Amino acid sequence: MRSLALLCALALLPALAPVLPGVGSARAQAPTEPSSTPQPSSRATRGQVTLNFVNAEIEAVTRAIAAMIDRPIVVDPRVRGPVTVYSEQPQTVAQAFQSFQTVLRGNNWALIENAGLLRIVPEADAKLQAGTVSVGEVGVKGDQVITQIFPLRFENPNNLVAVLRPLISANNTINANPGNNALVITDYADNLRRIARIVAALDQPSGTDVEIVPLKHAVAVDLAPLVQRLSDGGSGASVGAPPGLGGGVMTVIADSRSNSLILRAPNPARLAALRTTIERLDRPSNLVGPGGSLWVVHLKHADATRLATVLRAAFASVGIGGSGAGGGAGSTQPVSPGATQAPGGGSAATSPLTATAQPTTGGFVQADPATNSLIITAPEPLYRQVRAMIDQLDTRRAQIYIESLVVEVSGSDAADFGVQWQGLSGQSGDQFGVAGGTNFSGPGRPSIIAINAGAAQGQLNLGEGLNLGLLRSFNGVVSLAAIARMLQSQAQTNIVSTPTLIGLDNDEAKIVVGENVPFVTGQFTNTGAGGAGGNVNPFQTIERKDVGITLRIKPTVGEGGAVRMQIFLEQSSLLATTAAGTSNAGPSTAKRSIENNVLVEDGQILVLGGLIEDRFVVNKSKVPLLGDLPLVGALFRSETRERRRSNLMVFLRPIVMRDADAANRLSIDRYDAIRGRQERSQPPQSFVLPINEAPTMPAAPAPRQPLGQGMPDAPSQPSSGGTPAAAGPKQP
């Protein structure tokens, strides 16, 4: 059959030779201009052909078609296989070429034109190699793959992508360019003509212009959400969405300044329905009190008690609000939780939060803290002014996550060398004798006399370091005659503390990590009657103070992202040794604190301050003149050298979280970091010890999922030394 088809094609070519033009008559075209469909010459158009290729190789059929249209066609090496192209009746060369393109498309091949050259490639690669780009009207016909750009005037291109994507073949593409409001589509020319008609029908201006509806009785901010929900059929679309972002969406925006509603609808009928709904809802209030109508405003973010005080004070300055404008009798002021003090004067780290404030009384604005609402008694004109101010003040405040870093690196080197000796001369029975020696003492270095006194009682303590002694018998008692001591010590300390906390903009936040240590503030002893035989009643007063790290910060976020912070940072610790004479007063503490105001950009690190100290101390004890002698002078002196280095730096970095997504991302990141550290700190498996798993946090929950969901059941009795786990399910 293939041989028969090739013979038919070869027999057909001589018949077409008189009407086919010469080679080279095709004209190359720039790839950026719309290319017309390859057409045969006028002589070839007048002739008619009959195609009869049955299971013929694609290369042979392509050569025959190329001779018909008088243009070369290159076949990609990946295009292989037999094709069938035939016609029952004679047809023109243009019709035959169209039939050939249809067969190519049916076999997942595509004809493209690049730099004036026709190529047959797999359909999946056509979108990458097509060189024909058309703007505006589609100038190519047939099943040729081209790229078409559709500029849009009214519609958003992102909205049309979802509509047109099902109409485009799977191997071709559609992309939206919001920058110049255009669509870029690569597909077959005939399909692009259909898409062009669809785009022209959809790219129409909105059915109605923006209309402003002034309100007489209702407040625009209160009415806008209700009208939006009614117009959307309860879908809960967001109020105030920018117009033009979605075709057919009704938009309702409240203008507090003019107390009007700004409407936009896809057609006049829906706009008329909106106006009717607004007229029915714009009615005067039925709640009328002595001072005017009664209004209840539920706040979203602000505190009702504070905002009521601000509103009364603001309107009192212009003579509105009566005698209660300044706060009214019985008004309560909020108290910061950090202001609670312990009975002894120290801060109470475990003090409870401030109790809920009572409803305020007096003035035309009253607060209900239980529902965080404002009750306003005022005529409509005054209420509109108050409501406009409430809308500007009741906004979501940013949160600030503050990371602080306290780094302390210290070290000390000490060296000690000294010689002590005691001597006695004279014979037994002599009336006179000579005694002499050296005696030096210090921290960790007992004197030779103290060593001999302890040895006489059975307690021999030579002190720290290397000690070399010489023993001698005095009147039958063996004791040290000389001792040489050598000691060198080094100490390195590296402390890193990272207290972190989160707080609202313009609210003080506090964190205390440490111990609550008792300090004696007074004592009294009462001796009862009866003299020495009476009762003794000792009495002490104790004040507890926090020892550790205390961080108090009040951040204020600026418009440009800068954060202004009032900072108080204190780091205190108990000293290992107590100063002389203060043993009865309690322990001694080392304290470092910083209190200042700083300005830092969002997410940047700022050094708050620190201390760099390098100290060198030399302690020398010697016998005058004799201790300065060379060589032998070492027998008459003791020397200690010590060098201390201390580096203390405090760093701080604020991270502003303006919305819930930013807060959730940061919280999940810190949550996963702690959970990963717990998983890496699991104890090694042991067959002897039955406890092989340490408690770990559950995986980060999804939004609106309980925090402990997914945590394994805990035993009925919590294990000692670990964090108590959540109780397991009750057994029936």
Side-chain angles (χ1 to χ4, degrees):
M1 295 298 294
R2 296 184 180 180
S3 302
L4 179 62
L6 291 176
L7 291 175
C8 294
L10 295 177
L12 182 62
L13 290 178
L16 296 175
V19 297
L20 291 179
V23 178
S25 60
R27 181 168 53 90
Q29 192 175 7
T32 56
E33 297 294 334
S35 174
S36 60
T37 304
Q39 297 290 338
S41 64
S42 59
R43 290 185 302 167
T45 305
R46 289 193 298 267
Q48 293 185 346
V49 296
T50 301
L51 301 180
N52 188 17
F53 298 98
V54 179
N55 291 332
E57 289 294 335
I58 181 63
E59 293 184 356
V61 179
T62 302
R63 287 196 299 268
I65 297 297
M68 292 180 190
I69 65 174
D70 194 21
R71 292 190 61 180
I73 303 177
V74 178
V75 180
D76 191 277
R78 292 170 293 178
V79 178
R80 288 288 186 271
V83 295
T84 299
V85 184
Y86 67 92
S87 59
E88 298 288 345
Q89 302 294 333
Q91 56 185 355
T92 63
V93 174
Q95 293 174 344
F97 184 68
Q98 179 63 36
S99 300
F100 176 67
Q101 294 185 52
T102 303
V103 172
L104 292 178
R105 184 173 180 179
N107 287 273
N108 293 326
W109 300 325
L111 180 70
I112 62 173
E113 183 176 5
N114 194 341
L117 180 64
L118 297 178
R119 298 177 58 189
I120 301 177
V121 297
E123 188 181 49
D125 295 343
K127 59 179 178 293
L128 303 177
Q129 303 183 25
T132 303
V133 179
S134 177
V135 181
E137 183 180 358
V138 181
V140 181
K141 299 180 180 179
D143 290 330
Q144 182 180 348
V145 176
I146 65 173
T147 299
Q148 183 73 24
I149 299 177
F150 296 95
L152 303 179
R153 299 178 57 190
F154 307 103
E155 189 58 58
N156 191 319
N158 292 319
N159 297 333
L160 292 183
V161 169
V163 177
L164 301 177
R165 175 70 265 184
L167 305 179
I168 300 173
S169 59
N171 290 325
N172 294 321
T173 61
I174 175 173
N175 297 288
N177 184 16
N180 59 358
N181 205 46
L183 288 172
V184 181
I185 305 176
T186 301
D187 202 2
Y188 293 97
D190 283 348
N191 193 34
L192 289 177
R193 287 179 172 272
R194 180 183 62 154
I195 291 177
R197 293 191 294 268
I198 298 175
V199 171
L202 297 178
D203 187 23
Q204 298 294 332
S206 179
T208 61
D209 294 331
V210 175
E211 183 167 343
I212 300 176
V213 180
L215 301 180
K216 300 178 181 178
H217 307 285
V219 179
V221 179
D222 295 337
L223 198 57
L226 180 60
V227 174
Q228 182 75 57
R229 287 196 296 268
L230 292 175
S231 63
D232 294 337
S235 60
S238 59
V239 179
L245 292 184
V249 177
M250 304 179 66
T251 306
V252 182
I253 302 176
D255 182 18
S256 302
R257 183 180 58 84
S258 61
N259 195 38
S260 304
L261 293 178
I262 303 175
L263 309 178
R264 187 172 185 178
N267 53 68
R270 299 192 67 179
L271 183 61
L274 271 181
R275 287 198 302 265
T276 303
T277 303
I278 294 173
E279 291 176 359
R280 294 179 179 180
L281 296 176
D282 188 16
R283 301 295 183 185
S285 175
N286 296 326
L287 300 176
V288 180
S293 300
L294 298 177
W295 315 84
V296 178
V297 180
H298 297 279
L299 301 180
K300 299 178 182 178
H301 307 287
D303 182 78
T305 306
R306 294 183 180 181
L307 188 56
T309 305
V310 172
L311 293 175
R312 287 194 295 264
F315 284 90
S317 61
V318 295
I320 302 176
S323 60
S331 62
T332 60
Q333 299 295 335
V335 181
S336 174
T340 306
Q341 299 293 326
S347 60
T350 59
S351 59
L353 297 176
T354 306
T356 304
Q358 297 297 322
T360 60
T361 58
F364 74 105
V365 180
Q366 302 179 27
D368 181 19
T371 59
N372 197 39
S373 305
L374 296 178
I375 303 174
I376 303 174
T377 306
E380 288 186 9
L382 177 59
Y383 170 70
R384 293 175 182 174
Q385 298 180 21
V386 176
R387 187 57 192 271
M389 182 175 292
I390 292 174
D391 294 336
Q392 298 181 25
L393 297 176
D394 186 22
T395 57
R396 180 189 179 96
R397 289 192 291 171
Q399 297 185 99
I400 300 92
Y401 178 81
I402 302 170
E403 296 177 327
S404 58
L405 184 65
V406 182
V407 182
E408 181 177 359
V409 180
S410 60
S412 64
D413 295 332
D416 186 3
F417 178 78
V419 176
Q420 304 178 60
W421 54 273
Q422 298 289 323
L424 177 65
S425 65
Q427 297 295 328
S428 176
D430 292 348
Q431 187 176 1
F432 299 97
V434 179
T438 59
N439 187 30
F440 307 111
S441 63
R445 180 182 57 190
S447 65
I448 190 173
I449 297 178
I451 295 175
N452 286 327
Q457 299 178 2
Q459 298 178 357
L460 182 61
N461 181 16
L462 299 181
E464 300 176 356
L466 177 62
N467 297 273
L468 299 176
L470 178 63
L471 300 177
R472 183 180 178 184
S473 176
F474 294 95
N475 296 326
V477 178
V478 179
S479 61
L480 283 173
I483 183 173
R485 179 174 182 267
M486 292 168 287
L487 174 65
Q488 183 177 2
S489 61
Q490 293 181 347
Q492 300 290 336
T493 304
N494 191 345
I495 301 175
V496 178
S497 303
T498 57
T500 60
L501 74 163
I502 185 173
L504 279 176
D505 183 20
N506 271 327
D507 272 1
E508 180 179 332
K510 176 181 178 181
I511 183 174
V512 178
V513 181
E515 301 176 355
N516 201 249
V517 181
F519 291 86
V520 178
T521 58
Q523 55 186 354
F524 176 74
T525 302
N526 180 20
T527 304
N535 296 325
V536 179
N537 300 320
F539 177 80
Q540 286 184 338
T541 59
I542 296 177
E543 176 186 2
R544 289 187 172 271
K545 293 185 178 181
D546 296 328
V547 176
I549 295 179
T550 301
L551 176 63
R552 292 207 319 265
I553 295 181
K554 183 178 181 181
T556 302
V557 182
E559 187 65 25
V563 182
R564 181 179 180 271
M565 291 179 288
Q566 300 178 14
I567 302 172
F568 174 78
L569 176 63
E570 177 181 299
Q571 183 186 29
S572 57
S573 59
L574 294 175
L575 294 178
T577 59
T578 304
T582 61
S583 58
N584 295 331
S588 300
T589 59
K591 176 180 177 182
R592 302 174 180 88
S593 64
I594 293 178
E595 186 173 2
N596 58 356
N597 297 333
V598 296
L599 185 67
V600 58
E601 296 296 328
D602 179 18
Q604 301 299 319
I605 299 178
L606 180 70
V607 56
L608 296 182
L611 171 67
I612 300 178
E613 182 184 26
D614 198 344
R615 179 186 301 180
F616 182 75
V617 180
V618 177
N619 294 322
K620 183 182 292 185
S621 301
K622 66 178 181 178
V623 177
L625 299 179
L626 296 179
D628 297 330
L629 295 176
L631 299 178
V632 241
L635 300 176
F636 302 95
R637 68 174 179 263
S638 177
E639 185 176 353
T640 301
R641 295 183 181 183
E642 183 179 6
R643 183 178 181 180
R644 298 178 183 176
R645 298 171 302 277
S646 177
N647 298 315
L648 173 65
M649 284 293 170
V650 180
F651 302 90
L652 183 141
R653 181 176 72 169
I655 300 177
V656 180
M657 301 178 294
R658 300 185 180 273
D659 52 18
D661 292 337
N664 182 65
R665 287 194 301 269
L666 183 62
S667 301
I668 293 300
D669 179 73
R670 299 300 185 268
Y671 189 94
D672 292 339
I674 295 298
R675 185 171 182 268
R677 179 165 296 184
Q678 286 184 335
E679 291 178 347
R680 292 190 298 270
S681 301
Q682 292 293 321
Q685 298 294 321
S686 173
F687 294 99
V688 179
L689 302 177
I691 302 176
N692 293 318
E693 293 182 0
T696 58
M697 300 166 58
R704 301 185 181 275
Q705 182 182 354
L707 188 62
Q709 185 166 343
M711 182 180 295
D713 297 337
S716 58
Q717 296 294 334
S719 59
S720 59
T723 304
K730 295 182 179 180
Q731 299 296 332

